[in-house]
Amino acid sequence: MENKTFTISVYSENNVGLLNRISGIFLKRHINILSLNVSESEIENVSRFIIVVDTTEKWVQNIVGQIEKQIEVIKAFYHVDEETIFLESALFKINSSLLFDERQIQNIIKESNSEIVTVSRDFFVISKSGRRSDIEELYEKLKPFGIMQFVRSGRISVSKEKMEISTLLEELK
């Protein structure tokens, strides 16, 4: 089996220590987490973890099974990229003088469909949302000008197919 990028969605109660136990499942198998995001879900009082890994389908099935054994976990799913709609966000902090002195910076911002979030005397901040490759491309274009700070979020995603989590929760009531 070949490695692929998988997005694992975990619906759970919001309890202290769950993140540590879930990350331990990956640690024991020497599988690196490429991206991790935890937020509220579409269901009241239920959190959703979005975990991105590069592994085989056999390993991801095993991991999802182990995650579902955690008492707070309601349900876990995994998807390949083609089954989800996903994006990441990034912020780039750049020296303000470049915005006015380097016309090319303005063109890069425009061509990459980025936006300027704030401008101050010393710096300005660019925001970019999209696929990881879009953000990496913008990073490479801005790098020669000097990036003061850079941060990228974890992946957020929704599945293309209906996730049966709401139906499952209704049955449990």
Side-chain angles (χ1 to χ4, degrees):
M1 289 187 139
E2 69 180 73
N3 279 15
K4 290 184 188 177
T5 300
F6 291 94
T7 301
I8 301 170
S9 297
V10 180
Y11 287 86
S12 72
E13 299 172 16
N14 190 8
N15 287 354
V16 174
L18 180 60
L19 177 58
N20 191 34
R21 290 194 309 280
I22 287 176
S23 65
I25 292 169
F26 293 91
L27 178 66
K28 288 177 192 171
R29 288 159 183 78
H30 302 283
I31 295 175
N32 189 37
I33 295 174
L34 301 175
S35 171
L36 171 66
N37 184 43
V38 183
S39 68
E40 297 173 342
S41 74
E42 65 275 17
I43 304 157
E44 191 175 339
N45 298 320
V46 174
S47 294
R48 183 173 179 193
F49 290 68
I50 302 291
I51 305 166
V52 180
V53 295
D54 187 41
T55 190
T56 64
E57 188 161 8
K58 181 179 179 181
W59 274 109
V60 82
Q61 287 171 346
N62 185 322
I63 289 166
V64 167
Q66 290 298 308
I67 290 171
E68 285 188 329
K69 289 181 181 178
Q70 302 299 309
I71 197 153
E72 303 94 334
V73 172
I74 300 163
K75 186 71 178 155
F77 304 89
Y78 71 90
H79 297 95
V80 293
D81 285 354
E82 296 76 30
E83 297 171 333
T84 63
I85 299 162
F86 60 92
L87 61 84
E88 297 178 5
S89 294
L91 296 175
F92 299 83
K93 182 177 173 183
I94 310 286
N95 186 318
S96 278
S97 65
L98 294 171
L99 184 60
F100 305 107
D101 298 340
E102 292 286 343
R103 181 76 178 148
Q104 193 175 355
I105 290 277
Q106 294 176 27
N107 291 337
I108 291 170
I109 294 167
K110 187 185 227 180
E111 291 167 4
S112 66
N113 295 316
S114 302
E115 65 179 278
I116 297 173
V117 179
T118 190
V119 178
S120 76
R121 181 182 313 268
D122 299 321
F123 64 87
F124 68 101
V125 176
I126 301 169
S127 171
K128 171 69 179 161
S129 292
R131 294 194 174 244
R132 180 172 283 251
S133 59
D134 299 333
I135 292 169
E136 288 172 350
E137 181 180 333
L138 179 58
Y139 181 90
E140 290 303 318
K141 287 180 179 178
L142 293 173
K143 189 176 175 181
F145 297 99
I147 299 170
M148 297 170 73
Q149 289 183 34
F150 169 74
V151 65
R152 177 175 38 221
S153 72
R155 175 182 285 193
I156 56 173
S157 73
V158 293
S159 65
K160 290 180 181 177
E161 296 296 319
K162 182 178 176 183
M163 302 250 301
E164 299 298 329
I165 187 70
S166 298
T167 306
L168 177 67
L169 287 174
E170 286 298 319
E171 290 172 3
L172 293 175
K173 286 183 179 179

